[in-house]
Amino acid sequence: MATILDTWEPALSVRQVLSLERVLAGEPEVVAGASHLDRQVRWVHVAEAADVGVMLSGGEMVLTTGVLLAGDEDKQAEYVRSLHRAEAAAVVLGLGRAFPAAPDVMRRAAERCGLPMVVLHRPFPFAELTEEVQSRLVRRKFAAVSLSEAVRTELTALITAGAPLQRLLDEVARHSGCPVVVTNLAHRVLGTAGERPAVDDVLRDWERIARQAGGTEGDGWIRAELGGRGERWGRIVLCGYRGDTATGRLLADRAAEALVLHRMLGGTAACSWEEQSAQSLLTDLVSGVVPARQLLPRARAAGLPVNRRTFVPLVVRDGDTGRLDRLLRLLGLPGLVAELADGATAVLLSLARDQDAGALAAHFATRLRTESGSARTIVAAADPRVAWDDVPAGLREAQHVADAVADSAAALDIPPVVRLKDVHLRGLIRLLRDDPQVQSFAERELDGLLCETDEDLLSVLRTYLATGRNKSRTAQLHHVSRPALYRRLEAIQVRLGVDLDDFEQAASVHIALLAHDAQQQ
């Protein structure tokens, strides 16, 4: 898809001016300052006055025949020095009228000053060069205005439509044609956009690269600060921008304006962008769509320690991401927190190899239950992983365990940390819930209770089986008398045509109920 940058006229350097077809007709030769030909030409100025330097403001390419300098070497040297003081881009001398060859005094002075000096060996109308360069520069200035307004309009439209941060960054990356990174002031990556391989190359050693390039805009690294009301809270960086610096700076400034506006209108803070970054990373890890090895640079750039670490995958039910993140900080546990689908929240802890992963996970879960005030808060964990490539499987295992105990009577009395060994049959049924034969079995076994009017009986059956057919406990949990419970159990047995005192029949009904509940989640 074409972008406005496809029609952007790049800034003209001295080298580019000398390569123009009209200029080549004058047979240009660089006689001094050849190492400074990449200077930007802001304007072209034709001047014969010996004191032309006072008329310049910087960036001009000065064209002259030197007619007023002939025969006076002091004037020739001072002429070059005055151009240097005025920060002219270059001086072009037309040979023939005053000088048959480049005057040594001017050439030596230009070389000492680092001022590009060019002579034209063939007669050349300066008006043609001026017209060519000026028209290109005017087009460039018009393109700058067009770029600025187009980018601002597109980004503002996205913000008005409620687009997330990632959509804005994708648009900036589309215009810039290079990786785009948003960080906080500590260089922690809050968001990225661009071609994934190029982004990963940037993130692979992000902290060192970011700090090394923090004070300059060399090699296409262009940044703009994010903040307002005298407070900075982050920056956006164009990484390896291939166009001219002025264009990139303009694009970065427009992107920064849009990101600040996005934050103001959405009422969001930089930490919410951190949450979005963590969510994207952990979602990709759980899904397995992107190989874990490719996600390692993103994890490192997001501030997660990854070298010689033990990773503890957790999935929390009935947990708030903000509370979880604050608890990690309070306990001093490095990790990422992100909300997944269906009310589950993933927590990936990164511990030192000599730390007790099991004890720390249990401590985290106990504190979480205490602070939330809910015994139904479920913290499911997979076994610790020492290899990053094993983390996705660990997260999926923890998610499976959390799903297996969610919304069940067993969740009323679960350990602080639930593991795969704790879910037993319930975990197996959860894995098989989409099997058509399992679905048919559940329908067949529970057929007498699967209607809206039987929800109360179904709930009593669920509790009765989950408590190991403990009538006293079941009556207590449902706040009914034992005789009332007996009447309901009798109704259940009549509806299903089973004897719940028979172990095999009770087990069959229990399995069918677990399958039914798993299918509803």
Side-chain angles (χ1 to χ4, degrees), residues 187-205:
H187 302 289
R188 180 172 179 177
V189 174
L190 307 181
T192 64
E195 294 293 332
R196 197 72 255 167
V199 172
D200 288 344
D201 285 343
V202 169
L203 297 184
R204 191 158 285 113
D205 196 12

Side-chain angles (χ1 to χ4, degrees), residues 229-262:
R229 299 177 181 177
E231 179 184 2
R232 293 189 303 118
W233 44 267
R235 59 179 59 89
I236 182 171
V237 186
L238 307 186
C239 307
Y241 179 71
R242 292 187 297 274
D244 69 284
T245 301
T247 307
R249 190 177 297 117
L250 176 64
L251 184 56
D253 287 343
R254 291 296 168 265
E257 291 174 4
L259 296 185
V260 171
L261 180 61
H262 180 273

Side-chain angles (χ1 to χ4, degrees), residues 13-20 23-24 28 30 37 61 92 118:
S13 65
V14 175
R15 190 187 309 278
Q16 290 171 318
V17 171
L18 297 181
S19 66
L20 296 177
V23 179
L24 291 175
V30 179
L37 296 181
M61 174 178 276
V92 178
V118 181

Side-chain angles (χ1 to χ4, degrees), residues 82-106:
S82 68
L83 294 181
H84 170 65
R85 289 192 297 270
E87 298 182 349
V91 58
V92 178
L93 176 64
L95 301 179
R97 184 174 180 185
F99 296 99
D104 288 339
V105 172
M106 292 183 67

Side-chain angles (χ1 to χ4, degrees), residues 471-484:
K471 293 183 176 64
S472 297
R473 179 62 173 157
T474 302
Q476 180 184 14
L477 291 173
H478 283 271
H479 307 288
V480 297
S481 65
R482 287 176 66 91

Side-chain angles (χ1 to χ4, degrees), residues 214-381:
T216 66
E217 290 191 343
D219 299 325
W221 282 66
I222 300 174
R223 63 195 47 76
E225 301 297 326
L226 303 176
R229 299 177 181 177
E231 179 184 2
R232 293 189 303 118
W233 44 267
R235 59 179 59 89
I236 182 171
V237 186
L238 307 186
C239 307
Y241 179 71
R242 292 187 297 274
D244 69 284
T245 301
T247 307
R249 190 177 297 117
L250 176 64
L251 184 56
D253 287 343
R254 291 296 168 265
E257 291 174 4
L259 296 185
V260 171
L261 180 61
H262 180 273
R263 177 188 180 187
M264 292 174 57
L265 294 182
T268 59
C271 62
S272 70
W273 289 1
E274 292 179 353
E275 292 169 4
Q276 292 180 39
S277 175
Q279 182 177 28
S280 174
L281 172 61
L282 292 183
T283 299
D284 285 346
L285 278 170
V286 171
S287 68
V289 173
V290 182
R293 182 62 55 182
Q294 295 183 20
L295 297 173
L296 190 58
R298 289 169 58 187
R300 183 183 290 110
L304 185 73
V306 295
N307 295 329
R308 297 188 58 78
R309 307 291 288 186
T310 297
F311 303 101
V312 182
L314 305 174
V315 170
V316 179
R317 286 280 186 178
D318 193 28
D320 174 74
T321 55
R323 179 187 292 127
L324 293 171
D325 191 60
R326 288 191 297 272
L327 183 56
L328 287 183
R329 296 176 189 274
L330 179 64
L331 298 178
L333 297 176
L336 297 178
V337 179
E339 185 175 350
L340 303 177
D342 301 325
T345 302
V347 179
L348 180 60
L349 301 181
S350 175
L351 307 177
R353 292 283 176 87
D354 59 353
Q355 291 180 291
D356 188 334
L360 288 174
H363 181 53
F364 169 78
T366 302
R367 285 290 298 270
L368 179 60
R369 277 195 181 184
T370 301
E371 291 194 6
S372 66
S374 172
R376 292 188 61 87
T377 299
I378 298 170
V379 178

